[in-house]
Amino acid sequence: MEQVKVILADNEIPRQWYNILPDMPTPMHPPLHPGTGKPVEPQDLAAVFPMNLIEQEVSTQSWIDIPEAVLEKYLLWRPTPLCRARNFEKLLDAPVKIYYKNEGVSAPGSHKPNTAIPQAYYNKVFGIRRISTETGAGQWGSALSMACRMFGLQCRVFMVRISYDQKPYRRMMMSTWGAECIPSPSDFTRAGRRILSDDPESPGSLGIAISEAIEDAVGDENARYSLGSVLNHVLLHQTIIGLEAHRQFEKIGEYPDVVMGCAGGGSNFAGLSLPFVRDKIHGREVSIIAAEPASCPTLTRGPFAYDFGDTAMTTPLLPMYTLGHGFIPASIHAGGLRYHGMAPIVSHLVKEGIVQAQAYDQIETFTAGLKWAQSEGFIPAPETNHVIAAVVREAELARQEGKEKVILFNWSGHGIIDLPAYDAFLSGKLTQHALTDEEIREALKSIEGYPKP
Amino acid sequence: MEQVKVILADNEIPRQWYNILPDMPTPMHPPLHPGTGKPVEPQDLAAVFPMNLIEQEVSTQSWIDIPEAVLEKYLLWRPTPLCRARNFEKLLDAPVKIYYKNEGVSAPGSHKPNTAIPQAYYNKVFGIRRISTETGAGQWGSALSMACRMFGLQCRVFMVRISYDQKPYRRMMMSTWGAECIPSPSDFTRAGRRILSDDPESPGSLGIAISEAIEDAVGDENARYSLGSVLNHVLLHQTIIGLEAHRQFEKIGEYPDVVMGCAGGGSNFAGLSLPFVRDKIHGREVSIIAAEPASCPTLTRGPFAYDFGDTAMTTPLLPMYTLGHGFIPASIHAGGLRYHGMAPIVSHLVKEGIVQAQAYDQIETFTAGLKWAQSEGFIPAPETNHVIAAVVREAELARQEGKEKVILFNWSGHGIIDLPAYDAFLSGKLTQHALTDEEIREALKSIEGYPKP
């Protein structure tokens, strides 16, 4: 009987998050105010986020203490196990050891509560009573709902109407945790009413939902807005994943040759990989690979440019790989990866050649995910299937090279609420959505004439 | 920061299951052949179950080795954490420490794979190629689907048609693991065709589905039938839960005053409690409580009698608390607790006064389950809500008595696929279903004139 799980006791949980900013080999470009073209000042964001989170966003401290109240909630499901996928290895029959960090064990079923909990906490201590946010597929909305309930905050989630109708289980999860979940566009906001007056049957979009949530937060001095990915402080909170994995590898005296994650906004990928990026910056040899959808190939086919974080152009201009804020990705099942841009931290690392990116089409990802479910048991989220496809490709490469490799990847969440996607795959109804060059040129028109980083 | 999880390393997993039969203070009554009225012989069951499982069913060995191949699969999610519910304790504000065994961390989300894995394994080594079973809500069918896939067996699940239509996610889960899921009644079997010819729109019942699965297995020499609860060998496999919990309590130098589980067929309850029942039989003071639904109050209001295990009267007569095999429980959301009888082992322990039973109505259970979800995060299955309601009552008792207590209970599964039940509860649509004495007298007519134990 071989050990397959590397576990940490409660008292071995990391007490600090890791901030990569001071370790960056070259300085990052600052976010710009879209009106003035000047770098954004913390005060510019004060109506949107509480100041303690804004301070984290721009912090240059390498290590930031995790508050006791946050640790207490983390312990409900953390430290998460580092597991060796022996059954999947046997299936692939390649010279690889595959380890994965199981982030599906949280109550909402993904890595999202790693930042939802501290965001709710910091809003609470700053005196905020209500948080407003948007959600697409619902992973983020449900994680924030749970976190708000735990800290006694009200939570309002604007959920893209088509998802609200198609994914009722996520909405029910939010209600169970006491949040108010509103299909967007709604008549709660000017932005929503404007859309509805043009098209009462609008299916909504993430862009519209973000506009509604920001407007709702900014219009109430007791409320703030919250974002589930992309920003520095969100990635900071997610480093708990990689810091745990780092300790777990120390325990077994191993170190990964390859560290992988799927990437939409970038938070689960960065959460696992940044502590290993740190090692790489300090000279250690390790490949770090982000897997994105071929239908939304931000890192592999987009330019590094200044762009808005949202479709409605209400955020600062962020320096990132982007397909343009006007780009609407195909409706693949991996809703969490349908984002036109990418976290500035991840973008900067790709630009510097520290992180590599690969794109995978939907059929390849579900083929890999089904193999996983049938060997390891756990059914992965459609997002997670992207990194599993990357693991399959990496194993194949190791076989061809005849080279033994240790792979570590982030199993970002389970797919139980996404079972209809597997049903579609099994009945041959899934489609592929690789973009043409022409479509990408068209999409990029929305950022023509913007400042260049 | 206080420790809230007690974990076991992979190499601390128990290597044997615990068989309570030799420790029973009085001998159990034997199952009877319904035709002859004589005790059933192993050979009578040979067309239904593989002989190695029949041997386990009647074994008088106290400890039975867990095969290596089973341990290897158990390690995918076991040992499960023993968690202290600090947030729920704070909410209840009573002098209790509440520990729970989290069986929701398995891939299908419940304790069911603890027996699905060994059942698939023993069928495999006996040379069986296909397993047939029935499922109501789908927890059992999905666990067996996964287990069969892992050991390369075919799996056919007859799923009660109304559940098949109402719970598509469970069906999709079974397909994802490669099983064939057939709505019952079906035209695969004589039993099914007979029902369909009378009523082409029949919604089905567990009784019909069992008849179909047994007929399907018995008619194919390469196939056998499998049951997810009630029988001795099923409870045996589930003792892994309580054996782990026992070790976990040793690690922290504590011992529970009360051990609790919800009880439908009895397997999750027995799985946690039997190792503690063993201590109790050997003189240790510990209360052991089974929580059942008020709408299906087998242990609290049924007689101890001989009855069929299924509605279609195809099984041996089992000595158990029963409401009569003709009893059809109200369609509460805790589908896993809608069983007219109770495992003979659990029934015997209740009869001997070693285990106590309590009944809870649906509203009380969801009220408790919602409190749990909003404090501890994890959303419990409707079945699990019954034991959480019992914990709430026990905590209230401790407050009234001013007595400190350590409570241990089995968190048998998560409720993510049951979110529509929470939705109904939150929108005030859940009903109560306490039975009248008259209804119980009526139900018991189906066992009038049967042999008495």
Side-chain angles (χ1 to χ4, degrees):
Chain A
M1 206 186 69
E2 233 175 328
Q3 186 185 15
V4 294
K5 292 190 293 302
V6 187
I7 48 181
L8 297 177
D10 286 2
N11 61 18
E12 293 176 294
I13 196 170
R15 309 300 174 102
Q16 297 180 309
W17 293 300
Y18 167 59
N19 179 11
I20 198 170
L21 294 197
D23 284 330
M24 281 289 189
T26 57
M28 286 176 63
H29 300 266
L32 301 183
H33 191 292
T36 64
K38 297 249 168 70
V40 166
E41 296 297 324
Q43 202 48 48
D44 297 337
L45 301 169
V48 181
F49 299 110
M51 195 47 76
N52 47 12
L53 282 176
I54 298 171
E55 282 161 12
Q56 279 193 352
E57 182 67 18
V58 299
S59 171
T60 53
Q61 252 185 276
S62 287
W63 296 95
I64 294 180
D65 289 345
I66 305 175
E68 279 291 307
V70 171
L71 283 172
E72 187 193 293
K73 302 302 178 193
Y74 273 176
L75 287 182
L76 289 169
W77 78 97
R78 305 205 72 85
T80 63
L82 176 73
C83 308
R84 180 149 173 217
R86 294 301 311 248
N87 295 276
F88 194 60
E89 286 175 14
K90 281 181 205 155
L91 192 74
L92 298 182
D93 193 24
V96 289
K97 286 187 185 176
I98 301 172
Y99 290 92
Y100 69 100
K101 196 64 176 150
N102 188 348
E103 291 295 305
V105 297
S106 76
S110 79
H111 65 290
K112 289 292 186 189
N114 296 334
T115 184
I117 296 278
Q119 287 197 48
Y121 167 78
Y122 286 112
N123 272 279
K124 177 75 177 182
V125 301
F126 195 70
I128 300 306
R129 294 197 206 132
R130 185 168 71 78
I131 299 184
S132 196
T133 196
E134 76 291 326
T135 199
Q139 288 274 18
W140 168 242
S142 52
L144 191 66
S145 299
M146 181 186 81
C148 283
R149 165 57 60 160
M150 288 178 172
F151 288 105
L153 295 167
Q154 290 175 272
C155 182
R156 186 176 287 163
V157 182
F158 291 89
M159 185 171 187
V160 175
R161 179 182 291 272
I162 188 161
S163 298
Y164 182 92
D165 292 337
Q166 287 177 348
K167 301 198 180 232
Y169 281 53
R170 279 279 168 211
R171 170 183 64 70
M172 293 176 200
M173 198 180 249
M174 294 183 234
S175 310
T176 300
W177 284 318
E180 185 183 8
C181 178
I182 298 170
S184 163
S186 75
D187 55 13
F188 263 76
T189 64
R190 284 188 310 279
R193 288 191 294 271
R194 201 178 314 128
I195 304 278
L196 286 174
S197 74
D198 288 349
D199 176 8
E201 302 300 312
S202 165
S205 74
L206 210 48
I208 298 168
I210 295 178
S211 311
E212 290 210 278
I214 293 178
E215 181 187 328
D216 178 47
V218 169
D220 175 354
E221 62 175 343
N222 291 315
R224 289 294 184 278
Y225 169 71
S226 168
L227 192 65
S229 190
V230 180
L231 300 179
N232 297 350
H233 68 275
V234 178
L235 275 54
L236 173 81
H237 301 153
Q238 293 291 357
T239 59
I240 185 87
I241 305 170
L243 293 167
E244 284 179 6
H246 214 276
R247 289 190 185 192
Q248 286 162 317
F249 269 103
E250 276 166 25
K251 280 210 168 190
I252 52 172
E254 295 217 44
Y255 192 86
D257 298 297
V258 191
V259 176
M260 313 177 106
C262 64
S267 79
N268 97 76
F269 167 72
L272 176 67
S273 65
L274 291 184
F276 297 91
V277 168
R278 175 169 182 261
D279 295 345
K280 184 167 186 167
I281 289 171
H282 292 104
R284 188 135 198 182
E285 198 175 323
V286 53
S287 293
I288 300 181
I289 298 173
E292 64 179 11
S295 59
C296 191
T298 319
L299 290 170
T300 49
R301 298 178 69 191
F304 184 76
Y306 268 115
D307 192 7
F308 287 102
D310 67 324
T311 321
M313 304 186 284
T314 51
T315 71
L317 289 168
L318 301 174
M320 60 184 179
Y321 284 93
T322 178
L323 295 166
H325 60 268
F327 176 66
I328 297 174
S331 56
I332 54 167
H333 286 278
L337 305 184
R338 294 179 68 238
Y339 184 62
H340 69 274
M342 181 57 67
I345 284 176
V346 174
S347 295
H348 194 75
L349 292 168
V350 169
K351 187 172 65 71
E352 294 296 319
I354 296 167
V355 165
Q356 274 71 48
Q358 299 172 353
Y360 291 86
D361 72 57
Q362 186 159 241
I363 304 288
E364 185 173 355
T365 66
F366 272 87
T367 303
L370 192 70
K371 276 185 195 159
W372 181 275
Q374 296 198 341
S375 55
E376 293 289 321
F378 295 100
I379 298 172
E383 291 82 0
T384 312
N385 284 346
H386 286 71
V387 66
I388 297 175
V391 170
V392 172
R393 206 183 279 179
E394 196 64 32
E396 186 50 44
L397 209 63
R399 197 210 328 271
Q400 287 167 10
E401 292 174 355
K403 206 169 140 188
E404 287 187 13
K405 272 189 191 173
V406 175
I407 298 173
L408 165 64
F409 79 93
N410 197 5
W411 206 88
S412 55
H414 68 63
I416 293 180
I417 290 185
D418 309 283
L419 280 165
Y422 283 87
D423 211 39
F425 175 61
L426 290 166
S427 53
K429 287 180 195 146
L430 273 205
T431 50
Q432 311 226 22
H433 293 92
L435 292 187
T436 64
D437 290 343
E438 179 52 34
E439 284 171 314
I440 290 179
R441 270 195 302 275
E442 191 59 34
L444 288 173
K445 283 186 181 162
S446 61
I447 55 168
E448 271 172 19
Y450 280 34
K452 300 276 177 245
Chain B
M1 205 186 70
E2 232 174 331
Q3 186 185 15
V4 293
K5 289 190 295 303
V6 187
I7 48 180
L8 297 176
D10 285 3
N11 61 15
E12 294 177 294
I13 197 170
R15 308 299 174 104
Q16 297 179 307
W17 293 300
Y18 166 60
N19 178 12
I20 196 170
L21 295 196
D23 284 331
M24 281 289 189
T26 57
M28 285 177 66
H29 301 266
L32 302 182
H33 191 291
T36 64
K38 297 249 166 71
V40 167
E41 297 298 323
Q43 203 48 47
D44 296 338
L45 301 170
V48 182
F49 299 110
M51 194 50 74
N52 48 12
L53 282 176
I54 297 172
E55 281 161 12
Q56 279 192 353
E57 181 68 18
V58 299
S59 171
T60 53
Q61 251 184 277
S62 286
W63 297 95
I64 293 180
D65 289 345
I66 305 175
E68 279 290 307
V70 171
L71 283 172
E72 188 194 292
K73 301 304 178 192
Y74 273 177
L75 288 182
L76 289 169
W77 77 99
R78 306 204 70 87
T80 63
L82 175 74
C83 308
R84 181 149 173 217
R86 294 301 311 248
N87 294 276
F88 194 59
E89 287 174 13
K90 280 181 203 152
L91 192 74
L92 298 183
D93 193 23
V96 289
K97 286 187 185 174
I98 301 173
Y99 290 92
Y100 70 100
K101 196 63 176 151
N102 188 349
E103 291 295 306
V105 297
S106 76
S110 79
H111 65 290
K112 290 292 188 189
N114 296 333
T115 184
I117 296 280
Q119 286 197 50
Y121 167 78
Y122 285 111
N123 273 278
K124 177 75 177 181
V125 298
F126 194 70
I128 301 305
R129 295 198 206 131
R130 185 168 71 78
I131 299 184
S132 195
T133 196
E134 76 291 326
T135 200
Q139 288 273 20
W140 169 242
S142 51
L144 191 66
S145 301
M146 180 185 82
C148 283
R149 165 57 59 163
M150 287 178 173
F151 288 104
L153 295 167
Q154 290 176 270
C155 182
R156 185 176 288 162
V157 182
F158 291 89
M159 185 171 187
V160 175
R161 180 183 289 274
I162 188 161
S163 298
Y164 182 93
D165 292 338
Q166 287 177 347
K167 301 200 179 228
Y169 281 53
R170 279 279 168 210
R171 170 182 64 70
M172 294 174 199
M173 197 180 250
M174 293 182 235
S175 311
T176 300
W177 284 318
E180 184 184 8
C181 179
I182 297 171
S184 163
S186 75
D187 54 15
F188 263 76
T189 66
R190 286 187 309 279
R193 288 191 292 272
R194 200 178 314 128
I195 304 278
L196 286 174
S197 74
D198 288 350
D199 176 10
E201 301 302 311
S202 166
S205 74
L206 210 48
I208 298 167
I210 294 178
S211 311
E212 290 208 277
I214 293 179
E215 182 188 327
D216 178 47
V218 169
D220 175 354
E221 63 176 343
N222 291 315
R224 289 294 184 279
Y225 169 71
S226 168
L227 193 66
S229 189
V230 180
L231 299 179
N232 297 350
H233 69 275
V234 179
L235 274 56
L236 173 79
H237 301 154
Q238 292 291 355
T239 60
I240 185 87
I241 305 171
L243 293 168
E244 283 180 7
H246 214 277
R247 289 190 187 191
Q248 286 162 317
F249 269 104
E250 275 165 26
K251 278 209 168 189
I252 53 172
E254 294 217 43
Y255 192 85
D257 298 298
V258 192
V259 176
M260 313 176 106
C262 63
S267 79
N268 97 76
F269 167 72
L272 176 67
S273 65
L274 291 184
F276 296 92
V277 167
R278 174 169 182 262
D279 294 346
K280 185 167 184 168
I281 290 171
H282 292 104
R284 187 135 198 182
E285 199 174 323
V286 52
S287 294
I288 301 182
I289 298 173
E292 64 180 9
S295 59
C296 191
T298 319
L299 290 171
T300 50
R301 298 177 71 190
F304 183 76
Y306 267 115
D307 192 7
F308 287 102
D310 67 324
T311 321
M313 304 187 284
T314 50
T315 71
L317 290 169
L318 302 174
M320 60 183 178
Y321 284 92
T322 178
L323 295 165
H325 60 267
F327 176 66
I328 297 174
S331 57
I332 55 169
H333 286 278
L337 306 184
R338 295 179 66 238
Y339 183 62
H340 69 274
M342 180 58 65
I345 284 175
V346 174
S347 295
H348 194 75
L349 292 168
V350 168
K351 187 171 69 72
E352 294 295 319
I354 295 167
V355 165
Q356 274 72 49
Q358 299 172 352
Y360 291 85
D361 72 58
Q362 186 161 242
I363 304 288
E364 185 173 355
T365 66
F366 272 86
T367 304
L370 192 70
K371 276 186 193 159
W372 182 276
Q374 297 197 340
S375 55
E376 293 288 322
F378 295 100
I379 298 174
E383 292 81 1
T384 312
N385 285 345
H386 286 73
V387 64
I388 297 175
V391 169
V392 172
R393 206 184 277 179
E394 196 64 33
E396 185 50 44
L397 209 65
R399 197 209 329 270
Q400 286 167 12
E401 292 173 354
K403 209 170 138 187
E404 286 186 14
K405 273 188 190 172
V406 175
I407 298 173
L408 165 64
F409 80 94
N410 197 6
W411 206 87
S412 54
H414 68 63
I416 293 179
I417 289 185
D418 309 283
L419 281 165
Y422 283 87
D423 211 39
F425 175 61
L426 290 166
S427 53
K429 287 180 196 148
L430 272 206
T431 50
Q432 312 228 18
H433 293 92
L435 292 188
T436 64
D437 290 343
E438 180 51 34
E439 283 171 313
I440 290 179
R441 269 195 303 275
E442 191 60 34
L444 288 173
K445 284 185 181 163
S446 61
I447 55 168
E448 271 172 20
Y450 279 34
K452 300 276 175 248

